[in-house]
Amino acid sequence: MVTEACKKNQITVNNQVAKASREVFPSDKITFRKDQITHIISVLDIPDNRVGAKLVDVYRKDETPAESFAHLELLKLAKEHYRKNFINFVFEIYK
């Protein structure tokens, strides 16, 4: 999944397009787009070995602005609103 995103130039490290083999270092900023939100992750430290999912947050800091998540909620609400109106419109036509 990440390899494909790198091939499509969707992931940047310090504002430079990253390849899947790119090494990251502490203080690097990783930017990627997921679910219509541009996420910004700051690397705090590199673990010596692989770690479980629960410990990942020790090594990274999510710097994604809160407005991005609020914008996503607005998009979801708008989508639901138009979907309901369309369904009501269709039912009115076929009465």
Side-chain angles (χ1 to χ4, degrees):
M1 181 167 82
V2 175
T3 304
E4 292 173 16
C6 286
K7 286 180 182 177
K8 295 177 183 177
N9 296 333
Q10 296 176 340
I11 297 178
T12 61
V13 176
N14 297 329
N15 296 324
Q16 295 179 348
V17 176
K19 293 184 178 180
S21 61
R22 165 94 187 246
E23 287 189 38
V24 293
F25 301 100
S27 77
D28 282 353
K29 291 199 184 299
I30 302 170
T31 307
F32 60 95
R33 192 157 170 85
K34 179 182 175 192
D35 298 331
Q36 297 182 346
I37 296 178
T38 302
H39 294 270
I40 302 168
I41 304 293
S42 199
V43 179
L44 300 177
D45 197 10
I46 306 294
D48 294 330
N49 297 319
R50 292 181 65 149
V51 295
K54 291 181 180 179
L55 296 176
V56 170
D57 289 333
V58 173
Y59 297 101
R60 69 176 177 121
K61 181 180 178 188
D62 191 354
E63 296 180 354
T64 306
E67 301 90 41
S68 298
F69 296 106
H71 179 71
L72 181 63
E73 287 299 318
L74 285 175
L75 287 173
K76 286 181 182 178
L77 290 173
K79 199 180 287 186
E80 288 176 14
H81 173 74
Y82 287 115
R83 185 174 291 140
K84 287 178 186 175
N85 285 346
F86 178 74
I87 291 172
N88 290 337
F89 175 74
V90 170
F91 283 139
E92 289 294 323
I93 291 175
Y94 291 109
K95 273 188 175 180

